Coordinates of all heavy atoms in Angstrom, one line a residue:
M1 N -8.1 -55.8 -31.6 CA -8.6 -54.7 -32.5 C -8.0 -53.4 -32.1 O -7.9 -53.1 -30.9 CB -10.1 -54.8 -32.3 CG -10.8 -53.5 -33.1 SD -12.4 -53.5 -32.8 CE -13.2 -55.0 -33.4
S2 N -7.6 -52.6 -33.0 CA -6.9 -51.4 -32.8 C -8.0 -50.3 -32.2 O -9.2 -50.5 -32.4 CB -6.2 -50.8 -33.8 OG -7.1 -50.4 -35.0
L3 N -7.6 -49.2 -31.6 CA -8.6 -48.2 -31.0 C -9.2 -47.7 -32.4 O -10.5 -47.5 -32.2 CB -7.7 -47.2 -30.3 CG -8.6 -46.1 -29.6 CD1 -9.6 -46.5 -28.8 CD2 -7.7 -45.1 -29.0
P4 N -8.6 -47.2 -33.4 CA -9.3 -46.6 -34.5 C -10.4 -47.6 -35.1 O -11.5 -47.3 -35.3 CB -8.3 -46.3 -35.5 CG -7.1 -46.1 -34.7 CD -7.2 -47.1 -33.5
A5 N -10.0 -48.9 -35.0 CA -11.0 -49.9 -35.6 C -12.1 -50.1 -34.8 O -13.3 -50.2 -35.1 CB -10.2 -51.3 -35.9
A6 N -11.9 -50.1 -33.5 CA -13.0 -50.2 -32.4 C -13.8 -49.0 -32.4 O -15.1 -49.3 -32.3 CB -12.2 -50.4 -31.1
K7 N -13.3 -47.8 -32.5 CA -14.2 -46.8 -32.7 C -15.1 -46.8 -33.9 O -16.3 -46.5 -33.9 CB -13.3 -45.3 -32.7 CG -12.7 -45.1 -31.4 CD -11.8 -43.7 -31.6 CE -11.2 -43.3 -30.3 NZ -10.6 -42.1 -30.4
L8 N -14.6 -47.2 -35.0 CA -15.3 -47.3 -36.3 C -16.4 -48.3 -36.2 O -17.5 -48.1 -36.5 CB -14.4 -47.6 -37.5 CG -15.0 -47.7 -38.8 CD1 -15.7 -46.4 -39.2 CD2 -13.9 -48.2 -39.9
T9 N -16.1 -49.5 -35.6 CA -17.1 -50.4 -35.4 C -18.3 -49.9 -34.4 O -19.4 -50.1 -34.8 CB -16.4 -51.7 -34.6 OG1 -15.5 -52.3 -35.6 CG2 -17.5 -52.8 -34.4
I10 N -17.8 -49.2 -33.4 CA -18.9 -48.7 -32.6 C -19.9 -47.7 -33.2 O -21.1 -47.7 -33.2 CB -18.4 -48.1 -31.3 CG1 -17.8 -49.3 -30.4 CG2 -19.4 -47.2 -30.5 CD1 -16.8 -48.8 -29.3
V11 N -19.1 -46.8 -34.0 CA -19.8 -45.8 -34.8 C -20.8 -46.5 -35.8 O -22.0 -46.0 -36.0 CB -19.0 -44.7 -35.5 CG1 -19.6 -43.9 -36.5 CG2 -18.3 -43.9 -34.5
Q12 N -20.5 -47.5 -36.4 CA -21.3 -48.2 -37.3 C -22.4 -48.7 -36.7 O -23.6 -48.7 -37.2 CB -20.4 -49.2 -38.2 CG -19.5 -48.7 -39.1 CD -18.5 -49.6 -39.7 OE1 -18.3 -50.7 -39.2 NE2 -17.9 -49.3 -40.8
K13 N -22.3 -49.4 -35.6 CA -23.4 -49.9 -34.8 C -24.4 -48.9 -34.4 O -25.5 -49.1 -34.4 CB -22.9 -50.8 -33.6 CG -22.1 -52.1 -34.0 CD -21.7 -52.8 -32.7 CE -20.8 -54.1 -33.2 NZ -20.5 -54.8 -32.0
I14 N -23.9 -47.7 -33.9 CA -24.7 -46.7 -33.5 C -25.5 -46.1 -34.7 O -26.8 -45.8 -34.5 CB -23.9 -45.5 -32.8 CG1 -23.4 -46.0 -31.5 CG2 -24.7 -44.2 -32.7 CD1 -22.4 -45.2 -30.7
L15 N -24.9 -46.0 -35.7 CA -25.6 -45.5 -37.0 C -26.8 -46.3 -37.5 O -27.6 -45.9 -38.0 CB -24.6 -45.2 -38.2 CG -23.7 -44.0 -37.9 CD1 -22.5 -44.0 -39.0 CD2 -24.4 -42.6 -37.9
A16 N -26.5 -47.7 -37.2 CA -27.5 -48.6 -37.7 C -28.6 -48.8 -36.6 O -29.7 -49.3 -36.9 CB -26.8 -50.0 -37.8
A17 N -28.5 -48.3 -35.4 CA -29.5 -48.5 -34.4 C -30.6 -47.6 -34.8 O -30.7 -46.7 -35.2 CB -28.9 -47.9 -33.0
E18 N -31.9 -48.3 -34.3 CA -33.1 -47.7 -34.8 C -34.1 -47.4 -33.6 O -35.0 -46.6 -33.6 CB -33.9 -48.7 -35.6 CG -33.3 -49.1 -36.9 CD -33.4 -47.8 -37.8 OE1 -34.3 -47.0 -37.8 OE2 -32.4 -47.7 -38.7
Q19 N -33.6 -47.9 -32.3 CA -34.3 -47.6 -31.1 C -33.7 -46.3 -30.4 O -32.6 -46.3 -30.0 CB -34.2 -48.8 -30.1 CG -34.9 -50.0 -30.6 CD -34.7 -51.2 -29.7 OE1 -33.7 -51.4 -29.1 NE2 -35.8 -51.8 -29.4
E20 N -34.6 -45.3 -30.2 CA -34.4 -44.0 -29.6 C -33.7 -44.3 -28.1 O -32.9 -43.7 -27.6 CB -35.4 -43.1 -29.6 CG -35.0 -41.7 -29.3 CD -36.1 -40.7 -29.4 OE1 -37.1 -40.9 -30.1 OE2 -36.1 -39.5 -28.8
S21 N -34.4 -45.3 -27.5 CA -34.2 -45.5 -26.0 C -32.8 -46.1 -25.9 O -32.0 -45.7 -25.0 CB -35.2 -46.5 -25.4 OG -35.2 -47.7 -26.0
F22 N -32.4 -46.9 -26.9 CA -30.9 -47.4 -26.9 C -30.0 -46.4 -27.2 O -29.0 -46.3 -26.3 CB -30.9 -48.6 -28.0 CG -29.5 -48.9 -28.3 CD1 -28.9 -49.8 -27.3 CD2 -28.9 -48.5 -29.4 CE1 -27.6 -50.2 -27.6 CE2 -27.5 -49.0 -29.6 CZ -26.9 -49.9 -28.7
L23 N -30.3 -45.5 -28.0 CA -29.4 -44.3 -28.3 C -29.3 -43.3 -27.1 O -28.2 -42.9 -26.7 CB -29.8 -43.6 -29.6 CG -29.6 -44.4 -30.9 CD1 -30.2 -43.6 -32.0 CD2 -28.1 -44.7 -31.1
Q24 N -30.5 -43.2 -26.5 CA -30.4 -42.4 -25.2 C -29.6 -43.0 -24.1 O -28.9 -42.3 -23.4 CB -31.9 -42.1 -24.8 CG -32.0 -41.1 -23.5 CD -31.4 -39.7 -23.9 OE1 -31.8 -39.2 -24.9 NE2 -30.4 -39.3 -23.1
R25 N -29.7 -44.3 -23.8 CA -28.9 -45.0 -22.9 C -27.4 -44.8 -23.2 O -26.6 -44.5 -22.3 CB -29.2 -46.4 -22.8 CG -30.5 -46.5 -22.2 CD -30.8 -48.0 -21.6 NE -30.4 -49.0 -22.6 CZ -31.4 -49.6 -23.5 NH1 -32.5 -49.2 -23.6 NH2 -30.8 -50.6 -24.3
I26 N -27.0 -45.0 -24.5 CA -25.5 -44.6 -24.9 C -25.1 -43.3 -24.6 O -24.0 -43.0 -24.1 CB -25.3 -45.1 -26.4 CG1 -25.5 -46.5 -26.6 CG2 -24.0 -44.5 -26.8 CD1 -25.6 -47.0 -28.1
N27 N -26.0 -42.3 -25.0 CA -25.8 -40.9 -24.7 C -25.5 -40.6 -23.3 O -24.6 -39.9 -22.8 CB -26.8 -40.1 -25.3 CG -26.4 -38.6 -25.3 OD1 -25.5 -38.1 -25.8 ND2 -27.3 -37.8 -24.6
D28 N -26.4 -41.1 -22.4 CA -26.3 -41.1 -20.9 C -25.0 -41.6 -20.4 O -24.4 -41.0 -19.6 CB -27.5 -41.6 -20.3 CG -28.8 -41.0 -20.6 OD1 -28.8 -39.7 -21.1 OD2 -29.8 -41.4 -20.3
M29 N -24.7 -42.8 -20.9 CA -23.4 -43.3 -20.3 C -22.3 -42.6 -20.7 O -21.4 -42.4 -19.9 CB -23.3 -44.8 -21.1 CG -22.0 -45.5 -20.6 SD -21.7 -47.1 -21.5 CE -21.4 -46.4 -23.0
L30 N -22.3 -42.0 -22.1 CA -21.1 -41.3 -22.5 C -21.0 -39.9 -21.6 O -19.9 -39.5 -21.2 CB -21.2 -40.9 -24.1 CG -21.0 -42.1 -24.9 CD1 -21.2 -41.7 -26.3 CD2 -19.6 -42.5 -24.7
D31 N -22.2 -39.3 -21.5 CA -22.1 -38.2 -20.5 C -21.7 -38.3 -19.2 O -20.9 -37.5 -18.7 CB -23.6 -37.5 -20.4 CG -24.2 -36.8 -21.6 OD1 -23.3 -36.6 -22.6 OD2 -25.4 -36.6 -21.8
N32 N -21.9 -39.5 -18.6 CA -21.5 -39.8 -17.3 C -20.0 -40.3 -17.1 O -19.4 -40.1 -16.1 CB -22.5 -40.7 -16.5 CG -23.8 -40.0 -16.3 OD1 -23.8 -39.0 -16.0 ND2 -24.8 -40.8 -16.5
E33 N -19.6 -41.1 -18.2 CA -18.4 -41.6 -18.0 C -17.0 -41.1 -18.7 O -15.9 -41.4 -18.6 CB -18.4 -43.2 -18.5 CG -19.5 -44.0 -17.7 CD -19.0 -44.1 -16.3 OE1 -18.0 -44.2 -15.9 OE2 -20.0 -44.0 -15.3
M34 N -17.4 -40.0 -19.7 CA -16.3 -39.4 -20.3 C -15.6 -38.4 -19.4 O -16.2 -37.9 -18.5 CB -16.7 -38.7 -21.6 CG -17.4 -39.7 -22.5 SD -17.2 -39.6 -24.3 CE -15.7 -38.7 -24.7
I35 N -14.4 -38.1 -19.6 CA -13.7 -37.2 -18.8 C -14.3 -35.8 -18.9 O -14.4 -35.3 -19.9 CB -12.2 -37.1 -19.3 CG1 -11.5 -38.5 -18.9 CG2 -11.4 -36.1 -18.4 CD1 -10.1 -38.6 -19.3
A36 N -14.4 -35.3 -17.7 CA -15.2 -33.9 -17.6 C -14.3 -32.8 -17.1 O -14.5 -31.7 -17.4 CB -16.4 -34.0 -16.7
G37 N -13.1 -33.3 -16.7 CA -12.2 -32.3 -16.1 C -11.1 -33.1 -15.3 O -11.0 -34.3 -15.5
Y38 N -10.2 -32.3 -14.7 CA -9.2 -33.0 -14.0 C -8.9 -32.4 -12.5 O -9.3 -31.3 -12.2 CB -7.9 -32.6 -14.8 CG -7.8 -33.3 -16.2 CD1 -8.3 -32.7 -17.2 CD2 -7.3 -34.5 -16.3 CE1 -8.3 -33.3 -18.4 CE2 -7.3 -35.2 -17.6 CZ -7.8 -34.5 -18.6 OH -7.8 -35.1 -19.8
A39 N -8.6 -33.3 -11.7 CA -8.4 -33.0 -10.3 C -7.0 -32.2 -10.2 O -6.3 -32.1 -11.1 CB -8.2 -34.2 -9.5
F40 N -6.9 -31.5 -9.0 CA -5.7 -30.6 -8.8 C -4.5 -31.4 -9.1 O -3.5 -30.9 -9.6 CB -5.7 -30.2 -7.4 CG -4.6 -29.4 -7.0 CD1 -4.5 -27.9 -7.6 CD2 -3.6 -29.7 -6.3 CE1 -3.4 -27.1 -7.3 CE2 -2.4 -28.9 -6.0 CZ -2.4 -27.6 -6.5
E41 N -4.5 -32.8 -8.7 CA -3.2 -33.6 -8.9 C -3.1 -34.1 -10.4 O -2.0 -34.6 -10.7 CB -3.3 -34.8 -8.0 CG -3.6 -34.5 -6.6 CD -5.0 -34.3 -6.2 OE1 -5.9 -34.6 -7.0 OE2 -5.3 -33.8 -5.2
G42 N -3.9 -33.7 -11.2 CA -3.9 -34.0 -12.6 C -4.8 -35.3 -12.9 O -4.8 -35.7 -14.1
E43 N -5.4 -35.9 -12.0 CA -6.1 -37.1 -12.2 C -7.4 -36.8 -13.0 O -8.1 -35.9 -12.7 CB -6.6 -37.7 -10.9 CG -7.7 -38.8 -10.9 CD -8.2 -39.1 -9.4 OE1 -7.8 -38.5 -8.5 OE2 -9.1 -39.8 -9.4
P44 N -7.6 -37.5 -14.1 CA -8.9 -37.3 -14.9 C -10.1 -37.7 -14.0 O -10.2 -38.5 -13.3 CB -8.8 -38.2 -16.1 CG -7.9 -39.2 -15.7 CD -6.9 -38.7 -14.6
L45 N -11.2 -36.8 -14.2 CA -12.5 -37.0 -13.6 C -13.7 -37.1 -14.4 O -13.8 -36.3 -15.5 CB -12.7 -35.8 -12.6 CG -11.7 -35.6 -11.4 CD1 -11.9 -34.2 -10.8 CD2 -11.7 -36.7 -10.5
T46 N -14.5 -38.1 -14.2 CA -15.7 -38.3 -14.9 C -16.8 -37.3 -14.5 O -16.4 -36.8 -13.4 CB -16.1 -39.7 -15.1 OG1 -16.6 -40.0 -13.5 CG2 -15.2 -40.7 -15.4
K47 N -17.8 -37.1 -15.2 CA -18.9 -36.4 -14.7 C -19.4 -36.9 -13.3 O -19.7 -36.1 -12.4 CB -20.1 -36.2 -15.6 CG -21.2 -35.4 -15.3 CD -22.4 -35.4 -16.3 CE -23.5 -34.6 -15.9 NZ -24.5 -34.6 -16.9
N48 N -19.6 -38.2 -13.2 CA -20.0 -38.8 -11.9 C -19.0 -38.5 -10.8 O -19.4 -38.3 -9.7 CB -20.1 -40.4 -12.1 CG -21.3 -40.8 -12.9 OD1 -22.2 -40.0 -13.1 ND2 -21.3 -42.0 -13.4
A49 N -17.7 -38.6 -11.1 CA -16.8 -38.2 -10.0 C -16.8 -36.8 -9.7 O -16.7 -36.3 -8.4 CB -15.3 -38.5 -10.6
C50 N -17.0 -35.8 -10.6 CA -17.1 -34.4 -10.2 C -18.4 -34.2 -9.4 O -18.3 -33.4 -8.4 CB -17.3 -33.7 -11.7 SG -15.8 -33.5 -12.5
T51 N -19.5 -34.9 -9.7 CA -20.7 -34.8 -9.0 C -20.5 -35.4 -7.6 O -21.0 -34.6 -6.7 CB -21.8 -35.5 -9.7 OG1 -22.0 -35.0 -11.1 CG2 -23.1 -35.4 -9.0
T52 N -19.9 -36.3 -7.5 CA -19.6 -36.9 -6.1 C -18.7 -35.9 -5.3 O -19.1 -35.7 -4.1 CB -18.9 -38.4 -6.1 OG1 -19.8 -39.2 -7.0 CG2 -18.7 -38.8 -4.8
R53 N -17.7 -35.4 -5.9 CA -16.9 -34.5 -5.2 C -17.5 -33.3 -4.8 O -17.4 -32.6 -3.6 CB -15.6 -34.0 -6.1 CG -14.6 -35.2 -6.1 CD -13.4 -34.7 -7.0 NE -12.3 -35.6 -6.8 CZ -11.1 -35.2 -6.6 NH1 -10.7 -33.9 -6.7 NH2 -10.1 -36.1 -6.4
L54 N -18.5 -32.7 -5.6 CA -19.3 -31.6 -5.4 C -20.1 -31.8 -4.1 O -20.3 -31.0 -3.2 CB -20.1 -31.1 -6.6 CG -21.0 -29.8 -6.3 CD1 -20.2 -28.7 -5.9 CD2 -21.8 -29.7 -7.6
A55 N -20.9 -33.0 -4.2 CA -21.8 -33.4 -3.1 C -21.0 -33.4 -1.8 O -21.5 -33.0 -0.7 CB -22.3 -34.7 -3.3
I56 N -19.8 -33.9 -1.6 CA -18.9 -34.1 -0.5 C -18.5 -32.6 0.0 O -18.6 -32.3 1.2 CB -17.7 -34.9 -0.7 CG1 -18.1 -36.5 -1.0 CG2 -16.8 -34.8 0.4 CD1 -16.9 -37.3 -1.5
A57 N -18.2 -31.9 -1.0 CA -17.7 -30.4 -0.7 C -19.0 -29.7 0.0 O -18.9 -29.0 1.0 CB -17.2 -29.7 -1.9
E58 N -20.2 -29.9 -0.6 CA -21.4 -29.1 -0.1 C -21.7 -29.7 1.3 O -22.1 -28.9 2.2 CB -22.6 -29.5 -1.0 CG -22.5 -28.7 -2.4 CD -23.6 -29.0 -3.4 OE1 -24.2 -30.1 -3.4 OE2 -23.7 -28.1 -4.3
M59 N -21.6 -30.9 1.5 CA -21.9 -31.6 2.8 C -20.8 -30.9 3.9 O -21.3 -30.6 5.0 CB -21.7 -33.2 2.9 CG -22.0 -33.7 4.2 SD -22.2 -35.5 4.1 CE -20.7 -36.0 3.2
Q60 N -19.6 -30.8 3.5 CA -18.6 -30.3 4.3 C -18.9 -28.9 4.7 O -18.8 -28.4 5.9 CB -17.1 -30.4 3.7 CG -16.6 -31.8 3.7 CD -15.4 -31.9 2.9 OE1 -15.2 -31.2 1.9 NE2 -14.5 -32.7 3.3
L61 N -19.3 -28.1 3.8 CA -19.8 -26.6 4.0 C -21.0 -26.6 4.9 O -20.9 -25.8 6.0 CB -20.3 -26.0 2.7 CG -19.0 -25.6 1.9 CD1 -19.5 -25.0 0.4 CD2 -18.2 -24.5 2.5
R62 N -22.0 -27.5 4.8 CA -23.1 -27.5 5.7 C -22.7 -27.9 7.0 O -23.2 -27.5 8.0 CB -24.1 -28.5 5.1 CG -25.0 -28.0 4.2 CD -26.2 -28.9 3.7 NE -25.9 -30.2 3.5 CZ -25.6 -30.8 2.3 NH1 -25.7 -29.8 1.2 NH2 -25.2 -31.9 2.1
N63 N -21.8 -28.8 7.2 CA -21.3 -29.2 8.5 C -20.1 -28.3 9.2 O -19.5 -28.6 10.1 CB -20.8 -30.7 8.4 CG -22.0 -31.6 8.1 OD1 -23.0 -31.4 8.4 ND2 -21.4 -32.7 7.5
R64 N -20.0 -27.2 8.4 CA -18.9 -26.2 8.8 C -17.6 -26.8 8.9 O -16.8 -26.5 9.8 CB -19.3 -25.5 10.1 CG -20.6 -24.8 9.9 CD -20.9 -24.0 11.2 NE -22.3 -23.4 11.3 CZ -22.6 -22.4 10.7 NH1 -21.8 -21.7 9.9 NH2 -23.9 -22.0 10.7
E65 N -17.1 -27.8 8.1 CA -15.8 -28.4 8.0 C -15.0 -27.8 7.1 O -14.7 -28.1 5.9 CB -16.0 -30.0 7.6 CG -16.9 -30.8 8.5 CD -17.1 -32.1 8.0 OE1 -16.6 -32.6 7.0 OE2 -18.0 -32.8 8.7
T66 N -14.6 -26.4 7.5 CA -13.9 -25.6 6.6 C -12.7 -25.2 7.4 O -12.5 -25.5 8.5 CB -14.8 -24.4 6.2 OG1 -15.1 -23.7 7.4 CG2 -15.9 -24.6 5.4
I67 N -11.8 -24.5 6.7 CA -10.5 -24.0 7.1 C -10.3 -22.5 6.8 O -10.7 -22.3 5.6 CB -9.3 -24.9 6.8 CG1 -8.1 -24.4 7.6 CG2 -9.1 -24.8 5.3 CD1 -6.9 -25.4 7.4
S68 N -9.9 -21.6 7.7 CA -9.7 -20.3 7.4 C -8.6 -20.1 6.4 O -7.7 -20.9 6.5 CB -9.7 -19.5 8.7 OG -8.3 -19.7 9.2
Q69 N -8.5 -18.9 5.9 CA -7.4 -18.6 4.9 C -6.1 -18.6 5.7 O -5.1 -19.1 5.3 CB -7.7 -17.3 4.3 CG -6.5 -16.9 3.3 CD -6.4 -17.7 2.1 OE1 -7.4 -18.2 1.6 NE2 -5.1 -17.8 1.5
E70 N -6.2 -18.0 6.9 CA -5.0 -17.9 7.7 C -4.6 -19.3 8.2 O -3.3 -19.6 8.1 CB -5.4 -17.1 9.1 CG -4.2 -16.9 10.0 CD -4.7 -16.0 11.3 OE1 -5.5 -15.0 11.0 OE2 -4.2 -16.3 12.3
N71 N -5.3 -20.2 8.7 CA -4.9 -21.6 9.0 C -4.4 -22.3 7.9 O -3.5 -23.1 7.9 CB -6.2 -22.2 9.7 CG -6.4 -21.7 11.1 OD1 -5.4 -21.0 11.8 ND2 -7.5 -22.1 11.6
L72 N -5.1 -22.1 6.7 CA -4.5 -22.8 5.5 C -3.2 -22.4 5.2 O -2.3 -23.2 4.9 CB -5.6 -22.5 4.3 CG -5.1 -23.2 3.0 CD1 -5.0 -24.7 3.1 CD2 -6.1 -22.7 1.9
E73 N -2.9 -21.1 5.3 CA -1.5 -20.6 4.9 C -0.5 -21.2 6.0 O 0.4 -21.5 5.6 CB -1.6 -19.0 5.0 CG -2.3 -18.4 3.8 CD -2.4 -17.0 3.9 OE1 -2.0 -16.4 4.9 OE2 -3.0 -16.3 2.9
K74 N -0.9 -21.2 7.2 CA 0.0 -21.8 8.2 C 0.2 -23.2 8.0 O 1.4 -23.7 8.0 CB -0.6 -21.6 9.6 CG -0.6 -20.3 10.1 CD -1.1 -20.2 11.5 CE -1.3 -18.8 12.0 NZ -2.0 -18.7 13.3
E75 N -0.8 -24.0 7.6 CA -0.7 -25.4 7.3 C 0.1 -25.6 6.1 O 0.9 -26.5 5.9 CB -2.2 -26.0 6.9 CG -2.1 -27.5 6.8 CD -3.6 -28.0 6.6 OE1 -4.4 -27.8 7.5 OE2 -3.7 -28.8 5.7
S76 N 0.0 -24.7 5.0 CA 0.7 -24.9 3.8 C 2.2 -24.7 3.9 O 3.0 -25.2 3.1 CB 0.1 -24.0 2.6 OG 0.4 -22.7 3.0
E77 N 2.6 -24.1 5.0 CA 4.1 -23.7 5.3 C 4.9 -25.1 5.4 O 6.0 -25.2 5.2 CB 4.3 -22.8 6.4 CG 3.9 -21.4 6.1 CD 3.9 -20.5 7.4 OE1 4.3 -21.1 8.5 OE2 3.4 -19.4 7.3
D78 N 4.1 -26.0 6.0 CA 4.7 -27.4 6.2 C 4.7 -28.3 5.1 O 5.2 -29.3 5.2 CB 4.0 -28.1 7.4 CG 4.2 -27.3 8.7 OD1 5.2 -26.6 8.9 OD2 3.2 -27.4 9.5
W79 N 4.2 -27.9 4.0 CA 4.2 -28.9 2.8 C 5.5 -29.0 2.2 O 6.3 -28.3 2.0 CB 3.1 -28.3 1.7 CG 1.7 -28.5 2.2 CD1 1.1 -29.0 3.3 CD2 0.5 -27.8 1.6 NE1 -0.1 -28.9 3.4 CE2 -0.6 -28.2 2.4 CE3 0.4 -27.0 0.4 CZ2 -1.9 -27.8 2.2 CZ3 -1.0 -26.6 0.1 CH2 -2.1 -27.0 0.9

């Protein structure tokens, strides 16, 4: 099945759905799995991936796992 045909089939099924809880689950899945942004390297990120990266960054800040601007500039000279 081609991508346009697959999309049309899914849209038709969603339009025929009568259960609000079912539609909410689809909406939640789309919110979490659709591309929400891109990493510095260009890699696409889902909302879940962005949330995970944010949690890691916050933990690093709490644990004082940071680098000064000066040290970052020195480190970047070797890139």
Side-chain angles (χ1 to χ4, degrees):
M1 178 182 302
S2 70
L3 182 59
K7 287 181 178 183
L8 182 59
T9 299
I10 291 169
V11 167
Q12 289 171 338
K13 288 179 181 180
I14 290 172
L15 289 173
E18 296 292 331
Q19 293 178 317
E20 187 175 344
S21 61
F22 171 71
L23 295 172
Q24 185 60 51
R25 288 195 314 270
I26 291 172
N27 189 58
D28 292 345
M29 181 189 66
L30 291 172
D31 282 347
N32 289 325
E33 298 302 324
M34 299 218 26
I35 295 173
Y38 293 88
F40 180 74
E41 305 83 16
E43 166 194 355
L45 297 172
T46 63
K47 182 179 177 183
N48 284 342
C50 289
T51 302
T52 300
R53 283 179 166 227
L54 178 59
I56 291 169
E58 288 173 339
M59 184 174 47
Q60 289 171 329
L61 284 171
R62 279 193 303 276
N63 294 335
R64 301 187 190 279
E65 297 172 9
T66 60
I67 186 168
S68 70
Q69 180 71 29
E70 182 180 323
N71 287 340
L72 180 60
E73 288 173 2
K74 287 178 185 176
E75 185 179 309
S76 70
E77 289 174 3
D78 296 330
W79 292 351

